[in-house]
Amino acid sequence: MKVLLIGSGGREHALAWKLAQSPLLTTLYAAPGNPGIAECAALVPLDIDDHAAVSAFCLENGVTFVVVGPEAPLVAGLADRLRADGIDVFGPSAAAAQLEGSKGFTKDLCAKYAIPTGAYQRFTDAAAAKTYIEAEGAPIVIKADGLAAGKGVTVAMTLDEALAAVDDCFDGAFGAAGAEVVVEAFLDGEEASFFCLCDGVNALPLASAQDHKRVGDGDTGPNTGGMGAYSPAPVMTPEMVERTMKEIIEPTIRGMAADGYPFQGVLFAGLMITAKGPELIEYNVRFGDPECQVLMMRLESDLLPILHAASIGRLDKVSAEWRAEPALTVVMASKGYPSSYEKNTPILFLPADGAGSKVFHAGTALKDGKLVATGGRVLNVTAVAPTVADAQKAAYQALDAVQWENGFCRRDIGWRAVAREKA
């Protein structure tokens, strides 16, 4: 099987690393990829926004299966173009990708099919949004409706913060993504990320994870795309997984199919486990980043046939086996992230892969043959071990060997699970 992987981040490096282990694979291409991905795939300088060029490359090179990593090409309809040209693709249609592309679309679907989520209203006018917020009070959540690279959400603990967040959206802080705003109730509980493959009809639950969104230790500072993660999330007990499938995932799959948008790909449910049970915060239509890195470290099964089964409606014919040991990843980011940061800073040394550790590249490039940091989130130092505390220790040991002056990280990734282990 010749496979093309779309994307260039840490999630895609993890997918490439796992796909490359498949005995079914003859060639793995990646576009545009990164220096880490280049170790396990042939990089192709394709413009992934040019859907005709992506399709033409596949047809010319005998690529029969495309795995789309990031959300933007899916929302823009890349999967539709590939399917129309007879190429199997892992990822939803543009219509189904609205589950991530529009927060309002998802909230409306939840309302229609009685999927548990926070109460909400949609606004295209700042004054009306502020009136609603003032009536509801804080804490309250403000979301830019469209894609904002994980940064369009404000969990406002005060009224002033909420009103400022509305102004940010309508003043263009998130571009076109903020032209509509969703205001929703603050859910109190513990967050978890739950992943499930879908083929339009069938669902295959994958593992759970817990992300750390805030930039600083102790969950302080602004939200980011994610500063680290571990899997599994202890809060996702077998009973909670069962409830999540029954109350959230299955009604979503049925509802999307009934509305004419059958969902094929990975459903990434951001959950809040409240006193009432699992409630949906939001959907993403791709693997989480950095959650994908810990999932791939724990997945024992061959990834390729599972993803392909999802793309051709045969998910009921496959299963996924997981390592019992937890995995943990720490994000090394450029100083200044999630605000402005210096680019092209040199990374002088990376530790070699260990028995249970791996450094995934997220925002790196080669300049004049030397490795440099080009992104906000740059490296994902990942480890798998018998306990979360062991995985945490191994990940930070590997991280401390990295020689990159402009890098920083949180030092407490996995703190909830480590505390649980000690209790």
Side-chain angles (χ1 to χ4, degrees):
M1 211 180 206
K2 287 187 175 180
V3 179
L4 170 65
L5 173 68
I6 301 290
S8 61
R11 165 185 48 226
E12 288 77 32
H13 187 187
L15 290 171
W17 172 76
K18 191 66 186 169
L19 286 168
Q21 296 167 28
S22 175
L24 303 175
L25 186 76
T26 48
T27 310
L28 179 62
Y29 297 105
N34 67 37
I37 294 171
E39 293 167 12
C40 42
L43 302 194
V44 186
L46 277 173
D47 176 0
I48 61 173
D49 296 325
D50 185 343
H51 299 173
V54 174
S55 191
F57 173 83
C58 294
L59 295 170
E60 286 162 19
N61 291 278
V63 170
T64 53
F65 185 43
V66 177
V67 176
V68 184
E71 64 275 15
L74 294 167
V75 171
L78 176 58
D80 302 81
R81 174 60 193 255
L82 293 166
R83 284 194 185 102
D85 290 344
I87 299 157
D88 292 337
V89 55
F90 178 78
S93 65
Q98 288 180 93
L99 279 175
E100 179 165 1
S102 167
K103 306 283 191 302
F105 174 89
T106 297
K107 297 297 273 191
D108 289 350
L109 183 92
C110 289
K112 184 174 179 180
Y113 293 104
I115 295 163
T117 189
Y120 75 104
Q121 291 285 331
R122 301 174 70 166
F123 298 96
T124 52
D125 169 73
K130 288 179 177 180
T131 302
Y132 177 76
I133 288 165
E134 282 164 349
E136 291 293 316
I140 198 162
V141 182
I142 319 300
K143 294 180 177 179
D145 179 69
L147 293 182
K151 298 183 188 72
V153 176
T154 301
V155 179
M157 302 313 286
T158 66
L159 216 48
D160 286 349
E161 201 184 345
L163 300 176
V166 170
D167 286 334
D168 280 348
C169 286
F170 287 117
D171 291 348
F174 308 109
E180 182 176 337
V181 167
V182 175
V183 181
E184 61 183 66
F186 172 81
L187 296 175
D188 201 14
E190 188 169 342
E191 277 192 61
S193 303
F194 182 70
F195 296 87
C196 185
L197 298 186
C198 312
D199 66 6
V201 177
N202 303 293
L204 176 67
L206 301 178
S208 63
Q210 194 163 60
D211 188 9
H212 299 62
K213 283 288 183 202
R214 303 272 185 169
V215 74
D217 284 13
D219 291 333
T220 55
N223 264 340
T224 68
M227 293 301 292
Y230 59 90
S231 171
V235 72
M236 292 303 288
T237 60
E239 183 224 1
M240 206 55 75
V241 168
E242 195 177 323
R243 284 191 63 183
T244 299
M245 289 301 294
K246 196 170 289 182
E247 297 170 27
I248 295 176
I249 301 291
E250 288 166 10
T252 298
I253 294 171
R254 286 196 302 269
M256 290 291 283
D259 290 352
Y261 318 122
F263 187 90
Q264 289 175 282
V266 61
L267 266 184
F268 162 11
L271 303 174
M272 187 68 79
I273 310 305
T274 70
K276 292 191 283 186
E279 296 193 51
L280 183 71
I281 302 170
E282 63 182 13
Y283 271 130
N284 295 312
V285 299
R286 36 71 190 180
F287 284 104
D289 191 348
E291 293 99 332
C292 185
Q293 290 82 317
V294 287
L295 293 187
M296 292 305 112
M297 289 289 276
R298 289 189 60 226
L299 180 64
E300 283 198 317
S301 305
D302 186 346
L303 179 65
L304 183 50
I306 298 173
L307 298 188
H308 192 246
S311 76
I312 58 167
R314 293 178 64 83
L315 211 44
D316 54 334
K317 304 285 190 280
V318 295
S319 61
E321 302 299 322
W322 301 89
R323 291 177 69 158
E325 302 99 321
L328 182 143
T329 188
V330 183
V331 171
M332 285 194 83
S334 294
K335 285 176 185 168
Y337 176 81
S339 299
S340 59
Y341 51 86
E342 193 182 340
K343 291 191 175 178
N344 300 316
T345 58
I347 300 169
L348 301 177
F349 177 79
L350 292 179
D353 295 350
S357 65
K358 170 86 186 156
V359 178
F360 294 110
H361 291 237
T364 66
L366 287 175
K367 292 272 165 80
D368 304 320
K370 292 188 169 62
L371 190 67
V372 296
T374 55
R377 295 186 299 158
V378 176
L379 300 168
N380 312 132
V381 187
T382 313
V384 61
T387 67
V388 180
D390 292 337
Q392 183 191 57
K393 185 180 174 187
Y396 281 110
Q397 258 177 350
L399 184 145
D400 289 335
V402 172
Q403 292 176 23
W404 172 37
E405 215 171 281
N406 200 50
F408 81 97
C409 68
R410 278 181 60 164
R411 302 295 308 189
D412 65 345
I413 300 303
W415 64 272
R416 280 192 189 88
V418 171
R420 270 195 176 96
E421 284 178 350
K422 287 178 181 166

